[in-house]
Amino acid sequence: MNKIVISNPYIIVFLVGTVLSFIVDFFLDFSNWRHRKTHGGTLPEELKSIPASSVFDAEKLSKITGYKNEKYYLSLPFGILSFALTLSLVLSGFYPWIFNLVCRLTGAPNTWLNSWICAMLFSLLAGLPETLLMLPEGLIDEFKLEKKYGFSNMTFKMWILDTLKSLAISLVLSAVLMGAMVFILLKFPKIWWIFLTVLIFAFTIIMQILYPLVIAPIFNKFTPLEDGELKSRLTELLQNEGFKVSGVFVMDASKRSGHSNAYFGGLGKSKRIVLYDTLVKELTVDELVAVIGHELGHAKLHHITRKMFVLIPVELLLMLLLNFASGKTSLYTGFGFAVSQENVYTMQFIGLFLSMMVWSSVSTIITPVQNWFSRKDEYAADRFSAEHAKNPDALISGLIKLNSENLSELIPSKLYAAWHYSHPTLLERIRALKKK
């Protein structure tokens, strides 16, 4: 195992990117906390004239502020520890040590089977420190903070079972994906980036189909929506828009959490509308139809499909860059791996891991761009609902109730929202709807 080469360009990009990302996130979180101290207990003037806004009394505003503050206080020490751990694992030579350990157990990665086993073990062990660090944060968040604010209905037994189920599913999917990836890397050592992009796209499509039918039912029960006004109204809306689904289902989300949501899931014959049972209890029929109209807007305006096809050339370009980096011995030696040009192509799964780590350290710079496009889609889906569900006031009141019940922040810092929010704020959505 070689020493880490601090002057290596890949190491420099990783270190600078990691430090800058931490500073940006720390600054944005802190500035939003400061902003919340000043504005958290204030109801915006625009909301005072809307009847549904009566849910935001002084007690609710105080509860929202307390909830968001405690989320911030919890994330702060773990964020600092995660930052320190990320740097420590790289600078201490942890990753080449793990690789050498795995190679001693499995043999050199010079065949598909050896490479697959080596890649699986390396991935599991490389991710273990971060998983162990984040475990206490997840437990505190679920069993202290979420329960304190009336959201979590999770029992420790349920949490253990969910964790084991998630782990088993992740292992199966990872094993399949890793096997296919290693085969592509070994079979096409110089043009693997093309085939790997195809693999990722195909896997995304397959998961869109399988998730609602196979994976989601492992965790939750999905009951067909009962006959009644809501089902009739939703059926009429779907028929008017020529939109076919396999069914409208209510998910027993309340057995775990009091948070509310609704979504479209699946592709083709697996396409379905899913309503959280908490949502059905909180909103009126008009509000539910308007909220589903918003989700229908995403589908009818092809937001999901467009994102997938836009991602193909982006993914292809990224894979080309990763291919370039993983073929350079300087990438490996910079991070302390002993490698020569002769055996670099048998270690490209390590090169992919390292180049992805370098990319992740700087990818935060595209976060606000991604979120800007996402917010544009949310505005468009709101307009679709207002026009086709024909009740913008119901959408406004539904959004207000959802914001209130989920304890979402009313007036976040503009910079924080621009950087982190994939959805417009409640006020921004109401302003846009009232312009119609």
Side-chain angles (χ1 to χ4, degrees), residues 132-182:
L132 292 176
L133 175 64
M134 292 297 104
L135 189 61
E137 182 183 15
L139 287 169
I140 295 169
D141 182 67
E142 184 67 51
F143 291 102
K144 185 177 180 181
L145 203 157
E146 292 291 303
K147 283 190 178 295
K148 176 179 177 180
Y149 286 89
F151 286 125
S152 178
N153 298 315
M154 185 81 75
T155 64
F156 190 68
K157 178 183 177 181
M158 190 184 298
W159 183 86
I160 290 290
L161 289 174
D162 280 356
T163 301
L164 292 176
K165 290 176 186 177
S166 298
L167 180 61
I169 292 169
S170 295
L171 284 174
V172 171
L173 294 178
S174 296
V176 172
L177 269 180
M178 193 70 75
M181 183 193 77
V182 167

Side-chain angles (χ1 to χ4, degrees), residues 261-330:
N261 204 356
Y263 66 88
F264 274 105
L267 289 174
K269 293 183 179 180
S270 72
K271 193 182 296 180
R272 55 176 57 187
I273 297 174
V274 176
L275 304 170
Y276 286 24
D277 56 354
T278 48
L279 187 75
V280 175
K281 293 175 183 176
E282 290 162 6
L283 303 190
T284 67
V285 170
D286 284 342
E287 290 163 349
L288 284 165
V289 171
V291 168
I292 293 301
H294 169 93
E295 299 300 327
L296 178 59
H298 283 305
K300 291 294 289 184
L301 298 172
H302 308 295
H303 290 161
I304 299 170
T305 305
R306 188 191 69 216
K307 284 178 183 177
M308 289 175 62
F309 281 96
V310 166
L311 279 175
I312 293 176
V314 174
E315 196 76 37
L316 200 60
L317 177 60
L318 176 61
M319 287 298 168
L320 178 59
L321 293 174
L322 298 184
N323 173 67
F324 172 81
S326 64
K328 302 293 183 182
T329 56
S330 56

